[in-house]
């Protein structure tokens, strides 16, 4: 028996996983000859296929193949890994340890891209990474993550990645990948971290540069997060913890939609499938699932429950709890609006709360495909409670002035508060995005105020802590209008939370991954005078 087929003392195979050690088979596709090396292939006829062409049978590890295919879709199609990966796992029949390995390899590589690129630049013998074919660079990142951050023996990480390269890209590229990864493996992870940190900050005075490369964030995002901490009264010394929290695997958090399923009933479903959930710390509707596929739960399949971050649940609960005027049992408190409802998580929670009170919800979404997702999210609610519409939210203030009692503006934003869930966003976003988004955010908030009746409440929400998308937007709208006032959102949120949420200074709410274990959700509550 070869060394690569023997179990290690910890029970794992040399490729980093448990199992029988039997060879794995999987599907794959071949690619063109990379610029990174190798002889060109013979020219194909006009059909694009040479004579006698047959699909290549692949014999590589299917888990690594899935991770590679997700990275290619993220790079080539601007896809999101959290939307692509589950479908590929089902399509390839991966579950258990293989699915967990593919998931860690995918997300870990995306999160660590900046750090790994800094290492790879020192191992390509002076060849700039920008000159490599994107598939080659992706496979190098996958191999580097295994070498520096996973429990995969070096020889297995290199050999398996080289096999993946040969299978998916070409023989010439595999020789190049082998040489680069052997150079990466020549140093311990700690030595690489010291080297790339010292190179980024040789004088030892630029914390942003050092943390950006060590914690794998673009420098402009690191600076923005530092400013966000300071702007909300947090010390700059928390920056490193915030960046590390962005690189941690987030918990799978479920929402038990009121009136449709209770947290206890949802927990019983999870236990019947072998999971042992625990209540969320902050939201009374939240349940944390330690493992397993949430889509296998009947309540999730039938939209009585859903996957939703606790921060997202809290801001929706706060809007529903904010006092409208006149207070008390006011029959006018019956028309609610979600101005930017896609993909529908907050709309489903608000709709469930509205149904319990005899209110109705209009869920508006500008993109038809996202409106379809909203309809799926609210499918368990009575049809006369939620009206899903497709339209431009900026126009509702003119077409329906003063109509609604509670309005949610979950504004399109950079998503910098959810980098742990969508790690590719940190490499996709640019500082220039802020200007266009800021104009849209102000227009949507102004339209929401126009659509709100006197005494009604507007919740302005973003999944970003960047001041240009949060406090500055709210303050700008407040300066331009005399018909709206700022409420104490912290006080309202504390009322709906299961226990006191620490670190909130008010009147606006900013949640943090490193403090609260949630996405960095922002909430401001405004009342129409």
């Amino acid at each position: 028996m070869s060394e690569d087929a023997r179990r290690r003392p910890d029970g794992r195979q040399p490729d980093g996983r448990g199992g029988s050690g039997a060879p794995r088979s999987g599907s794959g596709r071949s690619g063109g000859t990379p610029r990174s090396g190798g002889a060109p292939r013979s020219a194909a006829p006009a059909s694009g296929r040479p004579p006698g062409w047959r699909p290549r049978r692949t014999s590589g590890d299917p888990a690594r193949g899935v991770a590679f295919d997700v990275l290619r879709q993220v790079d080539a199609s601007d896809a999101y890994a959290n939307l692509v990966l589950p479908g590929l796992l089902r399509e390839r029949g991966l579950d258990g340890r293989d699915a967990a390995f593919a998931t860690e390899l995918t997300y870990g590589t995306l999160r660590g891209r900046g750090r790994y690129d800094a290492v790879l630049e020192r191992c390509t013998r002076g060849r700039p990474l920008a000159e490599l074919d994107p598939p080659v660079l992706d496979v190098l990142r996958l191999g580097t993550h295994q070498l520096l951050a996973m429990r995969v023996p070096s020889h297995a990480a290199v050999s398996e990645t080289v096999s993946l390269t040969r299978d998916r890209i070409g023989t010439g590229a595999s020789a190049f990948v082998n040489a680069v990864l052997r150079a990466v493996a020549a140093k311990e992870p700690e030595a690489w971290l010291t080297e790339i940190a010292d190179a980024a900050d040789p004088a030892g005075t630029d914390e942003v540069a050092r943390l950006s490369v060590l914690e794998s964030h673009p420098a402009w995002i690191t600076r923005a997060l530092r400013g966000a901490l300071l702007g909300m009264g947090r010390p700059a010394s928390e920056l490193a913890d915030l960046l590390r929290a962005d690189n941690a695997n987030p918990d799978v958090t479920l929402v038990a939609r009121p009136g449709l399923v209770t947290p206890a009933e949802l927990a019983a479903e999870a236990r019947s499938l072998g999971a042992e959930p625990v209540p969320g710390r902050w939201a009374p509707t939240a349940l944390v699932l330690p493992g397993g596929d949430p889509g296998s739960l009947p309540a999730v399949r039938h939209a009585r429950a859903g996957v939703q971050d606790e921060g997202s649940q809290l801001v929706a609960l706060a809007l529903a709890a904010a006092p409208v005027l006149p207070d008390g049992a006011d029959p006018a408190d019956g028309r609610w609006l979600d101005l930017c409802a896609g993909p529908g998580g907050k709309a489903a929670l608000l709709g469930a709360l509205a149904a319990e009170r005899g209110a109705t919800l209009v869920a508006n979404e500008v993109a038809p495909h996202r409106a379809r997702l909203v309809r799926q999210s609210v499918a368990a609610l009575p049809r006369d409670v939620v009206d899903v519409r497709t339209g431009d939210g900026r126009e509702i203030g003119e077409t329906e002035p003063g109509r609604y009692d509670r309005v949610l503006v979950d504004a399109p934003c950079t998503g910098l508060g959810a980098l742990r869930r969508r790690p590719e966003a940190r490499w996709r976003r640019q500082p220039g995005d802020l200007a266009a988004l800021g104009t849209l955010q102000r227009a949507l908030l102004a339209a929401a105020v126009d659509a709100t009746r006197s005494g009604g409440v507007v919740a302005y929400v973003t999944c970003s802590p960047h001041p240009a998308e949060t406090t500055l937007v709210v303050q700008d709208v407040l300066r331009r209008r005399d018909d709206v006032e700022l409420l104490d959102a912290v006080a309202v949120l504390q009322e709906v939370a299961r226990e006191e949420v620490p670190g909130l200074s008010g009147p606006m709410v900013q949640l943090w991954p490193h403090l609260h274990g949630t996405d960095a959700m922002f909430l401001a509550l405004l009342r129409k005078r």
Side-chain angles (χ1 to χ4, degrees), residues 176-212:
F176 175 76
V177 167
N178 181 64
V180 172
L181 292 184
R182 287 187 180 279
V184 174
K187 295 182 183 179
E188 293 296 319
E190 294 76 11
W192 276 123
L193 292 179
T194 299
E195 182 172 332
I196 63 176
D198 290 345
D201 179 25
T205 58
D206 191 343
E207 181 193 33
V208 167
R210 178 175 289 266
L211 287 177
S212 293

Side-chain angles (χ1 to χ4, degrees), residues 113-166:
R113 174 179 140 177
R115 180 190 307 145
Y116 301 148
D117 282 3
V119 172
L120 288 169
E121 285 173 349
R122 289 158 175 77
C123 300
T124 56
R125 297 180 181 177
R127 187 167 188 177
L129 299 188
E131 293 184 2
L132 304 182
D133 271 2
V136 174
L137 186 52
D138 276 341
V139 83
L140 285 172
R141 290 165 176 161
L142 288 170
T144 303
H145 180 63
Q146 295 170 65
L147 288 167
L148 301 185
M150 295 182 72
R151 294 176 59 196
V152 180
S154 296
H155 70 277
V158 174
S159 63
E160 291 280 355
T161 307
V162 169
S163 295
L164 175 66
T165 307
R166 186 181 300 113

Side-chain angles (χ1 to χ4, degrees), residues 103-104 106-116 145 149 193 210-218 221-222 225 239-251 416-424 426-427 513-514 518-519:
T103 299
E104 163 56 26
T106 299
Y107 286 116
T109 301
L110 287 169
R111 293 186 182 107
R113 174 179 140 177
R115 180 190 307 145
Y116 301 148
H145 180 63
L193 292 179
R210 178 175 289 266
L211 287 177
S212 293
V213 70
L214 286 177
E215 302 303 335
S216 196
H217 284 64
I221 292 180
T222 304
L225 293 177
L239 179 60
D241 289 339
L242 174 55
L243 298 176
R244 292 187 192 107
D246 278 348
N247 291 330
N249 292 320
D251 293 328
L416 299 185
L419 295 181
R420 58 195 190 133
R421 298 186 190 280
R422 289 190 167 179
E424 64 276 2
R426 73 185 75 182
W427 314 116
H514 67 296
T518 68
D519 292 344

Side-chain angles (χ1 to χ4, degrees), residues 151-450:
R151 294 176 59 196
V152 180
S154 296
H155 70 277
V158 174
S159 63
E160 291 280 355
T161 307
V162 169
S163 295
L164 175 66
T165 307
R166 186 181 300 113
D167 183 61
R168 298 301 185 87
I169 303 173
T171 302
S174 67
F176 175 76
V177 167
N178 181 64
V180 172
L181 292 184
R182 287 187 180 279
V184 174
K187 295 182 183 179
E188 293 296 319
E190 294 76 11
W192 276 123
L193 292 179
T194 299
E195 182 172 332
I196 63 176
D198 290 345
D201 179 25
T205 58
D206 191 343
E207 181 193 33
V208 167
R210 178 175 289 266
L211 287 177
S212 293
V213 70
L214 286 177
E215 302 303 335
S216 196
H217 284 64
W220 77 270
I221 292 180
T222 304
R223 284 192 295 270
L225 293 177
R226 185 179 187 277
L229 286 167
L230 294 172
M232 297 305 293
R234 307 300 310 176
S237 59
E238 293 182 3
L239 179 60
D241 289 339
L242 174 55
L243 298 176
R244 292 187 192 107
D246 278 348
N247 291 330
N249 292 320
D251 293 328
V252 175
T253 305
L254 305 177
V255 56
R257 291 163 181 159
L260 300 177
V261 65
T262 67
E265 291 167 342
L266 186 58
E269 285 191 7
R271 292 190 191 97
S272 71
L273 297 177
E276 187 57 46
V278 296
R281 183 176 179 185
W282 314 116
T285 50
L287 200 68
V288 178
L289 195 64
D293 177 14
S296 65
L297 301 178
V300 174
R301 289 202 308 270
H302 298 291
R304 299 191 303 274
V307 177
Q308 189 174 21
D309 179 72
E310 268 199 274
S312 180
Q313 296 181 46
L314 282 175
V315 297
L317 294 170
L319 172 60
V324 298
L325 298 178
D327 55 9
D330 179 23
D333 183 17
R335 293 184 295 270
W336 301 6
L337 170 66
D338 187 346
L339 196 65
C340 314
K346 296 182 185 69
L349 180 51
L350 286 173
L353 296 168
E356 288 191 320
R357 301 190 197 178
T360 59
L361 172 72
V362 170
N364 178 78
E365 172 54 46
V366 68
H369 71 281
R370 288 171 63 85
R372 289 192 292 271
L373 295 177
V374 177
R375 291 188 180 93
Q376 294 172 11
S377 295
V378 303
L381 293 166
R383 292 188 177 182
D384 59 349
V385 171
V386 181
D387 177 15
V388 181
R389 301 179 185 175
T390 303
D392 190 335
R394 293 170 293 185
E395 300 173 357
I396 288 182
E398 296 181 3
T399 59
E400 299 182 82
R403 176 172 177 78
Y404 296 98
D405 306 282
R406 301 179 190 274
V407 179
L408 172 64
V409 186
D410 187 11
C413 67
T414 57
L416 299 185
L419 295 181
R420 58 195 190 133
R421 298 186 190 280
R422 289 190 167 179
E424 64 276 2
R426 73 185 75 182
W427 314 116
R428 192 172 289 169
R429 287 296 187 184
Q430 300 297 328
D433 297 336
L434 292 166
L437 286 168
T439 300
L440 176 61
Q441 290 155 356
R442 286 165 173 79
L444 289 169
L445 181 52
V449 174
D450 289 337

